[in-house]
Each structure stands twice: as structure tokens, then as C-alpha cells.
Amino acid sequence: EKNGFDHFMLKEIFEQPNALQKTMTGRFDEESNKVDFQELDWTADKVNNWNKIYIVACGTAYHAGLIGQNAIEELTRIPVSVEIASEFRYRRPIIDENTLVIVVSQSGETADTLAALRQSQKVGAEVLGITNVVGSSIAREADNVILTMAGPEIAVASTKAYTTQVLSFYLLGAYVAQMKEMISDEYREQLVKGIQAIPSQIEEGLEHTKGLQWYAESIKDSKSVFFLGRGLDHAVALEGSLKLKEISYIHSEAYAAGELKHGTLALIEEGTPVIALATQDEVYEKMLGNIEEVKARGAQVMGVATEGNMKIYQYVDETCYIPATLSLLTPLLSVVPLQIISYYTALALGKDIDKPRNLAKSVTVE
Ligand code: M6R
């Protein structure tokens, strides 16, 4: 059932174009090109009353939430906070009937996320569940549900569940913006076109993974690996770092590149691998500056940039290009090489990729 792949993780990475296609199927009205969520029972009145959104999740789903925060704020201008479920449930978050709480969980069974859902409902907040599992506790208990349609994810390390959650957030952001009449037809069209191009763009990227395999082998004996980025790239850096430590057991950290000087730079030594994401146009020059800072301390830098951004060549030791898309959508493309790098690093180290030590696929206890 691994379909010729050595591990479920690799199979699931390669399933992403298909899974994303499924996530978006039926979500666009063919005539108007508007985003359609027939399963949501929201009225314009209800949506207009929300003055705050919380996104609550654990692990990789939390990282998808960070992208969701960016997308929803950008598209709807409603303030969004993202919280780790085990933190959210033990404090007194300020939520009421005018708050939308979005809980995100591949399995739909994560104990802390489920508790956050129940607590939010108790104080009258509307809860939307984003999950991959039909009939899961979260799917049953949330007021509304978006199913990510990724198909079964077997590997403990989450890949296609993450990208389908991220896509669900883009669609949701556009949908709420439509309801609030805050998105121009022109921008919506750009966004929809951009989204529709993603599956084939990922496929394109997956045709050239040899270089990444070679790179993975070159970092396998490192003591520590750093992931840097700004904005959406920082959120993707967090996910890349989690993936690497989860299956290769190499220590890694993700940093907002602008924070380097505030402590982390002290950890960079001769030869320390740094994966620097530089896909965001608005902060591209700033990222190049940060790359210079780590290079000056001896770091070996792999730059992840958008095709056509040739300048980065002069700054890094190697480059991984992703196809061009809207700035907002880059996470769907830039996370894939990071998944591949962690896979091949773990493979080179002979680790148990689909079942990393100490971890379970579904965390149903606190
Ligand atoms: O089923 P969930 O999405 O609620 O699971 C949340 C985390 O346990 C999960 O994403 C975990 O971080 C992954 N193993 C990361 O690859």
C-alpha cells in the first residue's frame, strides 16, 4: 500500500498535488469564480459580528494556523491570534459570542485541541473545525467543519495534512472576505488562479529532488541546523525545523531572521547549516542582509527563493528555487523541499522514518 515508495512519508509528500486538488474541488463557483463553502451555515450578519478570531492547534497544525493567521488578517482585516492548544486551554483567553475559534487537527482527536473546542463553546464562541477525519470528535462537535480531504495520512510526520490545512485557510480567508465584501474581483481572480496552479507547480518541484537528497546527506552529521525566514517564511521555517528534528533527531531551530542579533547568532559556527527562506518580495533585501550576517560567521547557507530571484546566488552556497506564485501562497511550495530534505536526512541516518521514536500519530492524552 506504499505504492512503490519506501516509506509512507515519501508517498504522502508525492500525494500533495492530488490531495490539494481534492481540497479545492467544489470550492469554486464556476460562473462567478467565487469561493464556495456550502457546508458552512454562516450568515453575513454572523460573520460581520466577529471582531476576533483564534486559531488553536498543536504541532504541525499550529504551524498551518500561523499561515492561516496571515492569510485571514490580510484578506479580512479581522485580528487573528494563533495559540498552542495546551496553552490556550489553561489560561483565560478573552472569547465570547463575537469570537470565531478555529480548531485545526488532522486526526480530529488531539486531546488539547478538543478541550479548547469544548471550552470555547461553553463561553458561547462559534467553533469551526478544520480536520481531515470524517466522524472524528472534532468533526462531530464543532459548530461547522471544513474537511481537508487529504486522504489517510499514515506517517507520523505530517506533510499532506499540513498543505491541505494551509490551502483550507486560504479558501476560508477568501470566503470570509467575500462575505464582508472586502475582496476585489480582480484580486480574487488572481488568488483563485494562483491556487489552481499550485498542484502542478508542486509536481514540477517534485521532479527535481536529487539535489535536495544530496544536500540532505551533506547535513546529516551536523550538530544543529537553523531555519531562517521573515513573515510567512518564518512560519514555514518552523514547520521545516519540526519536520527535521521529528524524524532525523538532529537538533534544529527556526528563527525570525530579524531576531538573529538578539541571541541566536551566537550559535552560528564555521560550517553550521542554515536554510534561509527568501520568498517574500517585501522583505527580500532584508533577508539577504540576514544571510550575510550568518555567512560572515561561517554558516553554510542553502537559500530557498522564487524562480527568477537570481541575486541570491551571490549570497548563498546553494539555492533551491520554487516556482513563482503570489507572495501569500508561497508556503504551499516552499515547505515541500523542506519535507524532502528532512526525509532524505533521516533516510541517510537510517532512522525509522514513518514511526519516529517517542511519538504517536494521534495524541489523545494530554
Ligand atoms: O492530529 P493533529 O493535527 O491534531 O496532530 C497535531 C500534532 O500532534 C501533529 O501535527 C504533530 O506535530 C506531527 N507529528 C508533526 O509532523
Side-chain angles (χ1 to χ4, degrees):
E1 41 183 325
K2 287 188 200 132
N3 240 344
F5 289 97
D6 289 341
H7 297 92
F8 281 109
M9 183 184 178
L10 193 62
K11 169 176 177 265
E12 288 159 6
I13 290 172
F14 275 80
E15 277 172 354
Q16 287 178 113
N18 222 328
L20 290 162
Q21 198 61 59
K22 291 213 172 98
T23 310
M24 69 177 91
T25 296
R27 304 285 200 222
F28 301 117
D29 182 279
E30 277 184 17
E31 261 170 41
S32 63
N33 229 355
K34 285 192 173 169
V35 177
D36 205 4
F37 270 113
Q38 280 172 1
E39 62 269 60
L40 304 180
D41 68 4
W42 296 343
T43 59
D45 268 358
K46 184 183 249 181
V47 169
N48 280 315
N49 275 337
W50 291 330
N51 51 24
K52 164 116 218 199
I53 297 177
Y54 271 106
I55 299 174
V56 186
C58 303
T60 284
Y62 168 77
H63 294 155
L66 293 172
I67 312 286
Q69 173 190 37
N70 242 279
I72 295 174
E73 285 198 345
E74 181 68 30
L75 294 165
T76 72
R77 307 311 292 160
I78 304 174
V80 182
S81 298
V82 196
E83 286 204 36
I84 293 168
S86 56
E87 292 294 318
F88 180 88
R89 65 178 292 197
Y90 290 115
R91 57 184 206 92
R92 291 201 303 135
I94 304 170
I95 44 177
D96 58 25
E97 316 72 59
N98 297 326
T99 317
L100 170 68
V101 176
I102 306 175
V103 293
V104 193
S105 172
Q106 188 286 129
S107 62
E109 301 296 348
T110 299
D112 286 318
T113 313
L114 186 57
L117 172 156
R118 291 178 179 157
Q119 271 170 232
S120 305
Q121 280 177 334
K122 228 181 242 167
V123 294
E126 164 91 18
V127 176
L128 169 69
I130 298 183
T131 182
N132 192 34
V133 179
V134 191
S136 59
S137 302
I138 286 177
R140 278 184 281 112
E141 294 189 32
D143 301 307
N144 279 282
V145 178
I146 293 178
L147 290 171
T148 51
M149 310 300 284
E153 191 181 66
I154 310 292
V156 166
S158 181
T159 53
K160 62 177 180 169
Y162 170 83
T163 40
T164 55
Q165 285 161 357
V166 170
L167 175 56
S168 302
F169 273 118
Y170 292 135
L171 297 169
L172 177 69
Y175 183 68
V176 173
Q178 262 167 221
M179 287 186 95
K180 291 174 75 70
E181 297 180 17
M182 288 189 62
I183 187 167
S184 68
D185 289 350
E186 201 190 348
Y187 186 62
R188 196 189 54 238
E189 242 161 67
Q190 270 187 358
L191 195 62
V192 170
K193 276 213 186 99
I195 288 173
Q196 287 170 335
I198 294 284
S200 60
Q201 290 181 316
I202 294 183
E203 225 147 60
E204 206 181 295
L206 287 173
E207 277 164 23
H208 314 281
T209 57
K210 264 272 157 264
L212 295 173
Q213 180 169 2
W214 175 85
Y215 174 75
E217 282 159 16
S218 80
I219 62 167
K220 77 175 195 335
D221 298 317
S222 306
K223 186 169 76 181
S224 212
V225 176
F226 292 87
F227 291 77
L228 303 179
R230 286 171 176 257
L232 288 171
D233 282 342
H234 174 230
V236 174
L238 286 164
E239 174 57 10
S241 170
L242 175 61
K243 220 84 307 171
L244 184 70
K245 62 187 106 162
E246 183 175 21
I247 59 168
S248 75
Y249 317 151
I250 296 177
H251 168 256
S252 76
E253 288 196 47
Y255 267 89
E259 273 289 291
L260 279 176
K261 295 188 181 60
H262 303 285
T264 326
L265 209 46
L267 295 170
I268 306 293
E269 298 171 354
E270 196 59 42
T272 304
V274 170
I275 299 180
L277 291 107
T279 72
Q280 301 296 297
D281 294 342
E282 315 76 56
V283 286
Y284 184 64
E285 296 294 327
K286 296 272 169 214
M287 253 329 278
L288 294 181
N290 296 132
I291 291 171
E292 278 184 317
E293 285 166 358
V294 291
K295 278 298 305 169
R297 274 81 187 177
Q300 272 290 110
V301 183
M302 151 77 92
V304 179
T306 306
E307 246 162 30
N309 257 328
M310 303 307 274
K311 204 168 157 190
I312 198 164
Y313 257 145
Q314 301 148 25
Y315 291 77
V316 297
D317 301 288
E318 44 239 309
T319 320
C320 165
Y321 281 115
I322 60 162
T325 182
L326 296 180
S327 263
L328 190 62
L329 302 179
T330 53
L332 289 174
L333 301 177
S334 57
V335 77
V336 180
L338 307 190
Q339 296 168 340
I340 296 276
I341 290 169
S342 41
Y343 174 80
Y344 281 115
T345 308
L347 187 72
L349 291 168
K351 302 297 182 208
D352 189 354
I353 295 180
D354 286 337
K355 286 193 172 49
R357 69 183 180 202
N358 308 340
L359 300 175
K361 182 63 184 163
S362 184
V363 185
T364 52
V365 290
E366 289 192 47

